Amino acid sequence: MAAGSNLTTAGYGDALSSPQLQRLQLAINSQVHNKTIASHPVIMGMLASFLGVIGAVSARVGVATFGTAKAAATSEGSAASFTNYSVSNVTVSPARYAFARKASDDFNAAMQGIQVSGVDLANVDVMAADGLSFAVNLMVAETAPVFFNTVVDLIVAQLTNGTITAGTSAAALTWADVQELSVRLMAAGAPGPYLGLLSLQQIRDLIRDTESVTGAAANSALLSNLWQGGQSGPFIGTICGIDWHFCGELDDDGTDVIGGVISPAALGFMLKRVDIQITEGGIVLNLGAYTVQIEQEFGTGIAKMQITTHPGVTTLQAGAMCKISSRVGPA
């Protein structure tokens, strides 16, 4: 190891050394809410529908119109005309997504005994009993959040396809914009429950709108007190039949941010199972939705970890989803 400020050969030696690391605390980030969003019944049902598909590169979903016809008046002795079923086919194509980190043996040695604040390594399925070091366990502990972040990011990219729209470009979002969305989804025949996703600015605009004429018309006291200040994670409240959540993954074009409401009939999901070909000298963890591969580079003192997953998300029925457009930031 090269001489550092904590060695006597480095000038004044220990007198110039940096403070000893006492604790490793994880920085706050909005991505912590993606796990809660992904656990909503709308998303969990979607994830379960195609979990573990193997074989073909893509899957086809047939969306069939059923139970919408009416019988027509037909005179005695005449036959009714035959009506075909209407089916539209939608293809869901998985793609490979990967994320990698690496840690040195020296980092692992330095971190032994250091308290980690913000991540509970005891909740990781593989621990020291399996021969994994602190550094490797820390990297493995991050794989679940990485997977949820990836899935939520793919889901919100579909919101722009919703044919039920609300909001005004470059304008503040109001309660008048969103209070009828559940009724419009219900009228379209979209099944519940409904998951609503809003950006920070959209939430702020709604809270401020309780002071306006449109916002104070009814239940303004209730609306202004719905936000729990983080006590319930990203969940804002169930308002007008929609479970509203804050989401930090929503896309914008610099002028408008796209929020939305998703019903269980809106999206299709496919998760292709691709097992890693195990190689000598490494560790492979197959966690179902994704795989983790860990290797030690020969002679370098570097451990490498990669998570690999093959998800695919597409819009099945645009009429079962709402697109909410409003300003990215205040004017």
Side-chain angles (χ1 to χ4, degrees), residues 123-327:
N123 287 333
V124 183
D125 293 334
V126 285
M127 288 304 299
D130 298 296
L132 300 185
S133 68
F134 174 93
V136 171
N137 272 299
L138 186 64
M139 292 189 292
V140 172
E142 191 181 14
T143 59
V146 168
F147 173 73
F148 286 123
N149 293 343
T150 304
V151 170
V152 172
D153 185 60
L154 292 174
I155 289 171
V156 300
Q158 300 296 318
L159 291 175
T160 188
N161 296 329
T163 55
I164 298 177
T165 60
T168 303
S169 176
L173 190 65
T174 68
W175 287 110
D177 292 328
V178 301
Q179 63 187 358
E180 298 176 351
L181 290 181
S182 62
V183 177
R184 295 170 65 185
L185 282 167
M186 177 272 295
Y194 302 139
L195 170 63
L197 301 175
L198 297 173
S199 72
L200 174 60
Q201 185 60 48
Q202 289 175 325
I203 295 171
R204 294 176 67 188
D205 285 338
L206 290 182
I207 293 174
R208 291 167 181 171
D209 190 47
T210 61
E211 302 173 359
S212 70
V213 175
T214 58
N219 298 325
S220 61
L222 170 66
L223 295 176
S224 62
N225 287 287
L226 272 174
W227 180 245
Q228 300 298 313
Q231 297 179 35
S232 55
F235 179 61
I236 302 170
T238 300
I239 310 167
C240 299
I242 297 173
D243 299 330
W244 293 102
H245 289 72
F246 161 74
C247 181
E249 301 293 340
L250 299 181
D251 299 325
D252 68 78
D253 59 7
T255 300
D256 297 323
V257 61
I258 306 300
V261 182
I262 304 170
S263 84
L267 301 177
F269 178 79
M270 179 178 176
L271 187 60
K272 185 176 176 64
R273 195 182 73 214
V274 179
D275 296 333
I276 292 177
Q277 303 175 71
I278 300 177
T279 57
E280 185 178 355
I283 300 173
V284 172
L285 308 171
N286 191 334
L287 301 180
Y290 56 90
T291 56
V292 181
Q293 186 175 21
I294 305 161
E295 293 180 345
Q296 180 82 11
E297 288 185 350
F298 181 77
T300 65
I302 300 294
K304 301 186 298 183
M305 184 280 300
Q306 176 168 292
I307 169 180
T308 307
T309 184
H310 294 72
V313 181
T314 192
T315 300
L316 290 183
Q317 300 185 80
M321 184 166 57
C322 303
K323 172 186 175 182
I324 304 174
S325 303
S326 63
R327 63 182 183 176

Side-chain angles (χ1 to χ4, degrees), residues 50-110:
F50 289 96
L51 186 60
V53 173
I54 58 176
V57 175
S58 300
R60 186 177 66 206
V61 180
V63 182
T65 302
F66 182 82
T68 62
K70 302 180 183 68
T74 307
S75 61
E76 294 294 332
S78 299
S81 299
F82 293 100
T83 304
N84 289 332
Y85 286 107
S86 175
V87 179
S88 60
N89 292 317
V90 180
T91 299
V92 187
S93 299
R96 184 175 186 268
Y97 292 82
F99 177 82
R101 285 201 188 278
K102 62 182 180 180
S104 68
D105 293 345
D106 185 57
F107 168 78
N108 182 66

